[in-house]
Amino acid sequence: MLRKSRGETALGFPRITGLAAIGFAATIVLANAIMVPAGLPLTGAEIGEVDAFFGTRGGVVAVASALTPTAWLLATLFGAGAVSALRRFERGRDEAWSLLGFTGLALQNVTFAAVIAIRLALTSTTARHSPATGGLRVLHDALFTLNGTFLALALIGLSVAGLRAGLIRPWHGTVGLISAALLFGSATLTPLVIDRAGPLGLLGLAGWLMWVVWIVAYGVTLIRLNQTDPTGSVPGAGRP
């Protein structure tokens, strides 16, 4: 821990991981701000629309994809910070909700790495008019939608752990659990969601927007943890 004096605020691990959470949210929002205005096809879009986008917007896809390794690094760092803050409380209760949440974060990183890899592959196959494009498009949409399962795991695990430890406020936990329900619902309906673009896709979109709000709020919470608390306790950990 970096300290200049006993009473000065330190740039400790919780503060670093809280900043990582906010950085992760900013990175994924920026990536979408690059892709969506450029015409990124919605889940379930027709193959012609997919060909038109990935065949002519390869540069846009490359720029947005370049941001994602940073996002995965920051998400993992945030998860480690949340687990570090919560495990002291959980060990006393023989619980592991935070580990469930961290597992969800790790799995969403792996799944979305596959999504990004497929997007980069699509820029190549569409340029060559390869017959593989159709299959890649369906695989992309399926993985993209099913990833809601792992986001839901992260939201449930860290929301429940945070609420039981008194680390996060009730409204924050409620946002996380509603977001988890929406994302899990979208993942469950994957065959219908990817069949054609339609209103079912709004389930995942609403859940994703709430996920961004949730993770920013969690980052602020970690930043505000008392770095100089000699007991290293979690705020509210004494509450049932």
Side-chain angles (χ1 to χ4, degrees):
M1 183 180 295
L2 302 175
R3 276 188 198 154
K4 293 184 179 179
S5 66
R6 183 178 179 82
E8 190 174 353
T9 300
L11 185 62
F13 188 65
R15 187 177 296 273
I16 292 171
T17 58
L19 291 171
I22 295 173
F24 168 71
T27 303
I28 60 176
V29 169
L30 177 59
N32 279 277
I34 293 171
M35 294 279 281
V36 173
L40 177 68
L42 297 175
T43 302
E46 296 296 330
I47 190 64
E49 186 178 347
V50 174
D51 282 343
F53 177 79
F54 286 98
T56 60
R57 295 289 189 273
V60 171
V61 175
V63 170
S65 299
L67 296 171
T68 50
T70 298
W72 300 326
L73 186 153
L74 293 173
T76 306
L77 189 55
F78 155 64
V83 170
S84 176
L86 293 165
R87 282 303 291 159
R88 291 187 295 273
F89 171 80
E90 288 189 319
R91 275 193 289 266
R93 289 179 173 246
D94 292 327
E95 295 178 347
W97 288 105
S98 66
L99 296 182
L100 176 70
F102 186 82
T103 300
L105 285 173
L107 289 172
Q108 76 89 29
N109 278 356
V110 172
T111 304
F112 216 74
V115 170
I116 296 302
I118 293 171
R119 286 181 180 177
L120 293 172
L122 280 168
T123 63
S124 176
T125 60
T126 52
R128 298 199 309 265
H129 304 288
S130 170
T133 298
L136 285 174
R137 190 267 297 179
V138 174
L139 180 60
H140 169 276
D141 288 357
L143 284 173
F144 185 83
T145 308
L146 289 169
N147 187 48
T149 306
F150 307 127
L151 293 178
L153 280 178
L155 287 156
I156 292 169
L158 295 179
S159 293
V160 172
L163 287 170
R164 289 182 62 76
L167 180 66
I168 64 174
R169 297 180 182 275
W171 73 263
H172 186 187
T174 299
V175 168
L177 294 175
I178 293 174
S179 175
L182 291 170
L183 288 164
F184 187 77
S186 177
T188 301
L189 297 171
T190 294
L192 298 176
V193 174
I194 69 175
D195 183 54
R196 64 178 62 86
L200 286 177
L202 296 177
L203 282 176
L205 175 60
W208 185 84
L209 292 172
M210 294 180 74
W211 148 260
V212 173
V213 171
W214 176 89
I215 203 166
V216 169
Y218 226 118
V220 172
T221 298
L222 291 175
I223 290 171
R224 289 178 174 174
L225 278 180
N226 186 356
Q227 301 295 304
T228 60
D229 182 358
T231 67
S233 61
V234 174
R239 298 207 302 257

